[in-house]
Amino acid sequence: LTSRFTKDTARFKDELDIMKFICKDFWTTVFKKQIDNLRTNHQGIYVLQDNKFRLLTQMSAGKQYLEHAPKYLAFTCGLIRGGLSNLGIKSIVTAEVSSMPACKFQVMIQKM
């Protein structure tokens, strides 16, 4: 997916540009909306926040599902990690849910 989108675009100048691509273009293609918030500490850690994550909206009616929600985010963590890998960035991606259907994905860039 990332290879197909980036073949006609200019090279990214840094990892922040790549993360912006993931938050805008990649996320829009997969989930039909952009990430709501992107934060960084400028030391290789990025936090992507989606306030109405599509995969959690159906089960967000009850709090009884809150403890099971991270299981549904494992696939998305893999999507992010795979997309970054295709763009030459090795990363560790984790997810957390504090109130549904909002979730945060933490991306730790691993220096090679």
Side-chain angles (χ1 to χ4, degrees):
L1 187 62
T2 54
S3 303
R4 190 173 73 206
F5 278 132
T6 59
K7 71 177 181 176
D8 296 329
T9 60
R11 288 251 174 219
F12 299 110
K13 58 182 180 181
D14 58 12
E15 66 187 32
L16 181 59
D17 278 351
I18 293 173
M19 292 306 297
K20 288 178 184 177
F21 166 79
I22 294 291
C23 292
K24 292 179 181 177
D25 301 322
F26 183 79
W27 211 260
T28 300
T29 300
V30 177
F31 298 109
K32 309 292 186 240
K33 68 182 278 297
Q34 291 184 7
I35 278 286
D36 295 309
N37 195 351
L38 169 65
R39 293 189 193 142
T40 181
N41 68 352
H42 299 287
Q43 295 177 351
I45 297 180
Y46 297 87
V47 177
L48 291 67
Q49 182 172 344
D50 192 330
N51 295 327
K52 289 187 179 177
F53 187 58
R54 190 175 275 265
L55 299 180
L56 296 179
T57 53
Q58 292 299 317
M59 65 171 146
S60 65
K63 292 189 179 203
Q64 70 268 25
Y65 300 113
L66 186 59
E67 68 182 69
H68 299 291
K71 297 173 193 171
Y72 292 91
L73 301 178
F75 176 74
T76 307
C77 288
L79 278 176
I80 296 168
R81 188 170 174 238
L84 290 170
S85 178
N86 279 340
L87 296 170
I89 293 184
K90 188 175 179 185
S91 63
I92 297 173
V93 181
T94 57
E96 70 177 63
V97 179
S98 54
S99 65
M100 297 212 302
C103 64
K104 292 180 183 178
F105 297 92
Q106 182 175 0
V107 179
M108 292 181 5
I109 304 298
Q110 298 187 303
K111 303 296 179 191
M112 294 189 196

